[in-house]
Amino acid sequence: RVCGWPRSGGIRGGAAMDLFGDLRRMNKRQLYYQVLNFAMIVSSALMIWKGLIVVTGSESPIVVVLSGSMEPAFHRGDLLFLTNFHDDPIRAGEIVVFKVEGRDIPIVHRVIKVHEKGNGNIKFLTKGDNNEVDDRGLYKEGQNWLEKKDVVGRARGFLPYVGMVTIIMNDYPKFKYALLAVMGAYVLLKRES
């Protein structure tokens, strides 16, 4: 050793050798147990997500604000909690998350106008608080109003800036994969005391 570093491979080589050494030292039963433990964590997270979908009535009960179009109400990175109960009427001033044809990412904006017809059909127009014009330019071509079917959910609460982790992982995919690999390795190699 020179200056406390192992001769073979430095930090990267040593860490990789430790990882493979830990895997080799585990017997098959321990390895199966760790894989099962990891699968239980993943399935528990999916069950919680599906439960939230049922309870909130929204296909996406938690979303992250990706732009500054709703400032000062919401900032980029805020985590929004949504509900989408179809019995509740949509009103002007309400903040909704909606999807339009041709766009993959939902949009978080405020309802500025509502047209309610006698048969119960509701159409509405949205706008970002920080935008100069309404959202007609964001809707699909020829669409001037949104309908209830376009709504993913309505904002009921938020946590400021908690979603920045999601934004960073989307902006830097290598960071996301590295984080997932470290978490997976930790769960698989963690030994019970």
Side-chain angles (χ1 to χ4, degrees):
R1 291 181 185 236
V2 177
C3 299
W5 296 101
R7 284 186 186 188
S8 61
I11 294 175
R12 288 184 182 176
M17 294 306 289
D18 288 345
L19 178 69
F20 291 118
D22 283 347
L23 279 174
R24 271 189 246 130
R25 283 191 290 276
M26 281 187 181
N27 64 33
K28 284 184 180 180
R29 180 176 287 180
Q30 286 174 320
L31 185 61
Y32 291 146
Y33 175 76
Q34 294 301 85
V35 169
L36 184 61
N37 195 14
F38 183 70
M40 285 178 24
I41 290 170
V42 170
S43 63
S44 295
L46 289 172
M47 286 190 296
I48 290 169
W49 183 255
K50 289 295 184 181
L52 281 172
I53 289 172
V54 169
V55 169
T56 62
S58 174
E59 69 186 60
S60 187
I62 300 172
V63 296
V64 175
V65 177
L66 298 177
S67 74
S69 66
M70 278 303 292
E71 290 179 4
F74 298 122
H75 295 85
R76 188 170 192 257
D78 287 355
L79 192 71
L80 299 182
F81 301 101
L82 309 177
T83 62
N84 194 20
F85 302 117
H86 292 283
D87 297 341
D88 292 344
I90 292 176
R91 298 287 176 228
E94 198 170 19
I95 296 171
V96 296
V97 177
F98 62 92
K99 273 182 142 176
V100 290
E101 254 182 69
R103 293 183 179 264
D104 296 332
I105 299 172
I107 300 168
V108 179
H109 281 173
R110 189 178 305 275
V111 176
I112 58 169
K113 288 183 184 175
V114 177
H115 285 284
E116 208 165 338
K117 295 187 178 176
N119 62 0
N121 192 10
I122 296 175
K123 292 188 176 197
F124 57 93
L125 180 64
T126 56
K127 176 185 170 295
D129 290 356
N130 201 21
N131 292 349
E132 296 290 324
V133 296
D134 63 43
D135 291 343
R136 286 188 174 132
L138 298 175
Y139 304 161
K140 72 177 181 177
E141 193 174 326
Q143 182 180 12
N144 290 319
W145 302 91
L146 292 175
E147 298 177 27
K148 271 193 158 184
K149 67 177 177 57
D150 300 315
V151 175
V152 173
R154 303 170 197 198
R156 299 298 184 204
F158 77 103
L159 288 174
Y161 303 111
V162 174
M164 284 306 288
V165 173
T166 303
I167 291 173
I168 290 168
M169 287 196 294
N170 283 336
D171 289 349
Y172 304 100
K174 289 180 182 177
F175 174 73
K176 173 173 54 176
Y177 297 127
L179 184 65
L180 289 172
V182 167
M183 287 172 35
Y186 173 76
V187 169
L188 287 174
L189 299 175
K190 182 183 76 167
R191 300 230 173 136
E192 298 295 322
S193 352

